[in-house]
């Protein structure tokens, strides 16, 4: 999932899609007409900092993203994650709307200033409330949340308007639309309804979307999302479980069970994941 997110960010920033279309028409674009932002110039927002979100954050930071923000349900001292980390057993640390609806930012180690607080050695700015993260004006919003009663519809309604609030003049509004974030969803599709996504795109609250998970799967051929401008749709392939992955986790949990240690990735029925 981390590689999927990184690949789509680079593809959009480097305009690879436009170059493919130009090649199909044998068109050469002058170098002076080509500009892009480097990873170090981008601000990334991650909804949920559990095993998936933490790995996404670590991968992006290792590739040069120095300005990473995350919505968290509870304080964390680090975003590192591994299969052998028993402290994560049964707790993905992903955010829920109980924290997204309210709460406050939580300071970890040295503060980073601004709206959020530092995530310790990992250097991730943590937010305890969704509006706080959206007001950070991220260039990309990456959803890694699970599907629970608390997260379903989290981005519906006017929620995403906070990510790109309109200015006072038409020119300011156009500039803000150009700076609106791109939503990358690798979590679950019910975090935002189809109507909410289309409205956010039409209103300029989002400048685009990369959707690997959708409210309905397979996505009906009649869905306007197939043809929506700035939208990339993939058929739930951001990360496929391999036999080797399953065997590795099973072996580790068998070892832990034999030693009476907590198991990895247990389901909490109360939390819903």
């Amino acid at each position: 999932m981390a590689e999927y997110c990184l690949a789509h960010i680079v593809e959009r920033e480097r305009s690879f899609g436009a170059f493919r279309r130009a090649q199909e028409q044998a068109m050469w674009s002058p170098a002076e007409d080509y500009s892009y932002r480097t990873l170090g110039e981008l601000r990334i927002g991650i909804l949920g900092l559990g095993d998936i979100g933490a790995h996404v954050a670590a991968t992006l930071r290792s590739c040069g993203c120095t300005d990473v923000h995350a919505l968290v349900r509870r304080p964390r001292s680090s975003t590192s994650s591994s299969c052998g980390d028993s402290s994560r057993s049964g707790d993905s640390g992903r955010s829920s709307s109980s924290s997204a609806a309210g709460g406050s930012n939580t300071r970890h180690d040295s503060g980073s200033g601004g709206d959020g607080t530092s995530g310790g050695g990992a250097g991730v700015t943590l937010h305890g409330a969704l509006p706080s993260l959206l007001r950070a004006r991220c260039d990309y919003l990456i959803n890694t949340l699970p599907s629970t009663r608390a997260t379903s519809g989290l981005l519906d309604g006017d929620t995403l308007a906070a990510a790109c609030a309109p200015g006072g003049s038409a020119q300011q509004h156009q500039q803000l639309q150009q700076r609106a974030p791109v939503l990358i969803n690798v979590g679950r599709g019910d975090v935002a309804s189809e109507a909410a996504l289309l409205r956010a795109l039409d209103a300029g609250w989002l400048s685009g979307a990369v959707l690997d998970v959708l409210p309905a799967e397979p996505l009906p051929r009649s869905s306007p999302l197939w043809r929506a401008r700035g939208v990339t749709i993939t058929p739930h392939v951001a990360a496929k479980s391999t036999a080797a992955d399953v065997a590795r986790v099973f072996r580790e949990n068998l070892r832990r069970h034999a030693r009476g240690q907590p198991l990895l990735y247990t389901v909490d029925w109360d939390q819903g994941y």
Side-chain angles (χ1 to χ4, degrees), residues 54-142:
H55 195 73
V56 170
T59 299
L60 293 176
R61 283 187 54 79
S62 69
C63 292
C65 292
T66 58
D67 194 3
V68 179
H69 295 242
L71 179 67
V72 296
R73 185 185 56 193
R74 61 172 64 92
R76 285 192 175 276
S77 59
S78 173
T79 60
S80 61
S81 172
S82 66
C83 178
D85 184 357
S86 62
S87 66
R88 293 188 176 274
S89 175
D91 176 17
S92 74
R94 294 165 182 162
S95 307
S96 69
S97 61
S98 60
S99 64
S104 60
N105 297 332
T106 306
R107 182 168 297 280
H108 283 221
D109 299 337
S110 60
S112 63
D115 196 36
T117 58
S118 171
V124 177
T125 301
L126 304 182
H127 297 259
L130 179 58
S132 171
L133 176 67
L134 295 178
R135 288 194 301 268
R137 300 291 187 266
C138 296
D139 298 296
Y140 289 85
L141 290 173
I142 301 173

Side-chain angles (χ1 to χ4, degrees), residues 11 24 27 42 62 82 96 99 169 182 190 194 199 212 229 244 270:
E11 179 188 38
E24 292 171 357
M27 293 178 58
L42 301 175
S62 69
S82 66
S96 69
S99 64
S169 68
V182 173
D190 62 356
E194 179 178 282
R199 183 184 181 193
D212 186 58
R229 183 177 181 182
D270 292 330

Side-chain angles (χ1 to χ4, degrees), residues 126-251:
L126 304 182
H127 297 259
L130 179 58
S132 171
L133 176 67
L134 295 178
R135 288 194 301 268
R137 300 291 187 266
C138 296
D139 298 296
Y140 289 85
L141 290 173
I142 301 173
N143 176 54
T144 68
L145 294 170
S147 177
T148 68
R149 290 188 300 271
T151 62
S152 180
L154 184 65
L155 301 181
D156 282 354
D158 295 339
T159 302
L160 288 168
C164 189
S169 68
Q171 182 179 6
Q172 288 175 319
H173 182 54
Q174 183 178 12
Q175 291 173 344
L176 284 170
Q177 282 184 311
Q178 293 173 350
R179 289 164 38 206
V182 173
L183 174 66
I184 300 178
N185 193 358
V186 293
R188 286 294 181 260
D190 62 356
V191 73
S193 68
E194 179 178 282
L197 290 172
L198 292 170
R199 183 184 181 193
L201 291 163
D202 184 62
W205 303 337
L206 293 175
S207 62
V210 178
L211 307 174
D212 186 58
V213 290
L214 295 123
E217 296 182 12
L219 185 66
R221 298 188 67 177
S222 59
S223 171
L225 285 173
W226 286 113
R227 297 168 293 279
R229 183 177 181 182
V231 173
T232 298
I233 294 174
T234 56
H236 210 131
V237 293
K240 297 182 65 176
S241 297
T242 66
D245 291 334
V246 174
R248 177 174 55 85
V249 175
F250 178 82
R251 179 180 179 182

